[in-house]
Amino acid sequence: MKRKLVCAIIGMTMAASLLAGCGGSSDTAATDETAAEEEGAEEEAPSGDVITVGYAQVGHESDWRMANTQNYYDVFSAENGYDLQLIDCDNDNAAQIEAVRSFIQQELDYIVIAPIETAGWDTVLQEAEDAGIPVIIADREIDADNYDAWVGTNTVNEGITAGNWLGEYLDGADANILVIEGSVGASATLGRTEGFDSVLAEHPEWTKIDQQSGDFTQSGGQEVMESFIKSYEGQFNVVVCQNDNEAYGAMDAMDAAGITYGVDGDVIIISFDATHDGLQYTLDGKINCDVECNPIQAETVAEVIQLMAAGEEYPESTLVDDEAFVAPGIESAYATTMTQEILDGRAY
Ligand code: GZL
Ligand code: ZN
């Protein structure tokens, strides 16, 4: 409550100073004001106008992440009235905490965090609160609750959608499943695993043979798939990749081993993110099902910041919606069948 009050006061003060700047009280003052305004017009907008934002970004591990980063640069631009500091924390927790501390030391107006891991946030969030800087958690989730707003996706639901689609597709047939998980400790990994496993539990004819982290990267997906092939060749018919880049690596490894996959192959591939290339592979029938996780979140975060700056009520939690896509020839109650038009119309 305290922080929102502080935020409201900042908002009002700023609004008041802007109003005072615009309309002088007497003619003379008005004339001086107008002259001063004209003369000053080409200078920097008064500091109150520019909103400084720090974004502690996970890293650059995947196409999804790059699309998310570009989206922040597009939205939090100078012409839109922002000064954005985006720090790529390269999947390093300690570096991410330090990035947030640097935002606090610079007394930025707002801090946005896409947390690499769910754990370890209490202390630095307390420091931001003590400094009166609102914090928005974006994309993923954390164990702590001392932040002001959250904008992200429901990865548990994404896992459930993947499982429900597989159940519909297999229609009672056995499944021997390998899972290439995302980065250890990331809420996207934990959520997708929790959701998929909740459906797995409903299917006694399914077996999860093994799971290993591919760290949301293509090289990680390839390495894990190569080791899975060594251990389990001929024993599996489903590979769940917790993001598209891991799926690309897994396909490379299966190609090298002469293992077929996709709608005409021996192995079903389920992926997550539904990035452009992931949906191209889905359209080509190489990926059977790609569950979307929408990286275009900066507009929503900016709306929350504008409301905070204006001292108005703002949503403490905003879910960015996703859907799922399946290869041509597959009809599903849980996913949209891919077409070229869908691919051409995608924002990322
Ligand atoms: C999901 C996001 C994940 C993507 C990966 O919300 O955090 O991180 O699924 C990315 O591609 O690396
Ligand atoms: Zn079943």
Side-chain angles (χ1 to χ4, degrees):
M1 192 48 203
K2 179 176 65 63
R3 187 182 288 179
K4 286 195 192 97
L5 196 57
V6 168
C7 173
I9 290 172
I10 292 171
M12 246 91 90
T13 312
M14 215 157 66
S17 64
L18 287 178
L19 277 177
C22 296
S25 51
S26 72
D27 288 349
T28 320
T31 315
D32 291 351
E33 190 64 25
T34 313
E37 253 183 344
E38 262 145 36
E39 195 257 312
E42 61 278 5
E43 278 161 27
E44 267 282 288
S47 67
D49 266 359
V50 174
I51 296 181
T52 58
V53 176
Y55 184 29
Q57 175 61 296
V58 167
H60 50 275
E61 72 285 357
S62 67
D63 296 0
W64 189 100
R65 187 63 54 200
M66 301 313 281
N68 179 261
T69 290
Q70 188 54 55
N71 178 227
Y72 272 77
Y73 281 127
D74 294 345
V75 171
F76 289 97
S77 63
E79 53 269 31
N80 288 343
Y82 296 97
D83 173 2
L84 173 68
Q85 262 189 65
L86 185 147
I87 296 182
D88 170 340
C89 301
D90 198 13
N91 246 358
D92 176 335
N93 294 315
Q96 191 165 48
I97 300 282
E98 281 323 300
V100 173
R101 282 215 167 90
S102 80
F103 296 153
I104 295 170
Q105 273 142 21
Q106 296 170 69
E107 297 179 356
L108 299 188
D109 297 327
Y110 297 91
I111 293 173
V112 183
I113 305 169
I116 293 166
E117 276 201 26
T118 54
W121 288 102
D122 300 89
T123 306
V124 75
L125 291 182
Q126 188 56 52
E127 291 165 23
E129 181 160 1
D130 296 345
I133 302 176
V135 172
I136 297 167
I137 302 297
D139 173 20
R140 297 181 180 170
E141 294 164 73
I142 58 173
D143 296 341
D145 58 9
N146 48 339
Y147 54 86
D148 295 82
W150 177 84
V151 175
T153 61
N154 184 331
T155 51
V156 173
N157 264 0
E158 291 165 15
I160 291 171
T161 298
N164 285 339
W165 172 79
L166 185 62
E168 176 192 63
Y169 191 66
L170 286 173
D171 191 22
D174 288 355
N176 294 295
I177 303 163
L178 291 169
V179 181
I180 303 177
E181 292 181 336
S183 302
V184 176
S187 65
T189 304
L190 300 169
R192 287 171 187 156
T193 298
E194 179 189 330
F196 185 80
D197 285 358
S198 69
V199 179
L200 181 74
E202 295 164 6
H203 290 271
E205 75 279 16
W206 293 3
T207 306
K208 187 183 340 184
I209 303 170
D210 202 350
Q211 68 274 320
Q212 210 176 318
S213 170
D215 214 10
F216 284 138
T217 64
Q218 180 160 348
S219 58
Q222 180 166 348
E223 281 156 31
V224 171
M225 194 67 234
E226 284 164 353
S227 79
F228 280 165
I229 289 168
K230 279 202 192 74
S231 311
Y232 310 111
E233 185 161 8
Q235 301 169 42
F236 61 92
N237 65 328
V238 180
V239 176
V240 178
C241 305
Q242 289 193 343
N243 85 329
D244 285 337
N245 294 79
E246 291 176 344
Y248 311 153
M251 289 191 273
D252 289 345
M254 285 191 271
D255 286 343
I259 297 172
T260 61
Y261 49 82
V263 292
D264 300 326
D266 294 336
V267 175
I268 294 165
I269 295 184
I270 295 173
S271 187
F272 293 84
D273 281 353
T275 57
H276 181 274
D277 291 356
L279 289 182
Q280 181 67 65
Y281 281 117
T282 306
L283 183 62
D284 296 345
K286 298 288 185 191
I287 290 176
N288 298 73
C289 175
D290 200 346
V291 179
E292 181 187 38
C293 176
N294 191 338
I296 307 302
Q297 305 180 359
E299 289 84 348
T300 307
V301 173
E303 281 162 23
V304 171
I305 285 177
Q306 289 297 331
L307 290 169
M308 287 175 165
E312 289 171 27
E313 273 300 295
Y314 57 86
E316 294 193 352
S317 172
T318 309
L319 199 55
V320 177
D321 59 359
D322 335 284
E323 56 178 305
F325 300 91
V326 287
I330 300 176
E331 290 306 314
S332 169
Y334 301 100
T336 303
T337 302
M338 267 309 285
T339 62
Q340 190 61 49
E341 295 77 8
I342 290 174
L343 186 61
D344 296 344
R346 296 284 292 173
Y348 63 96

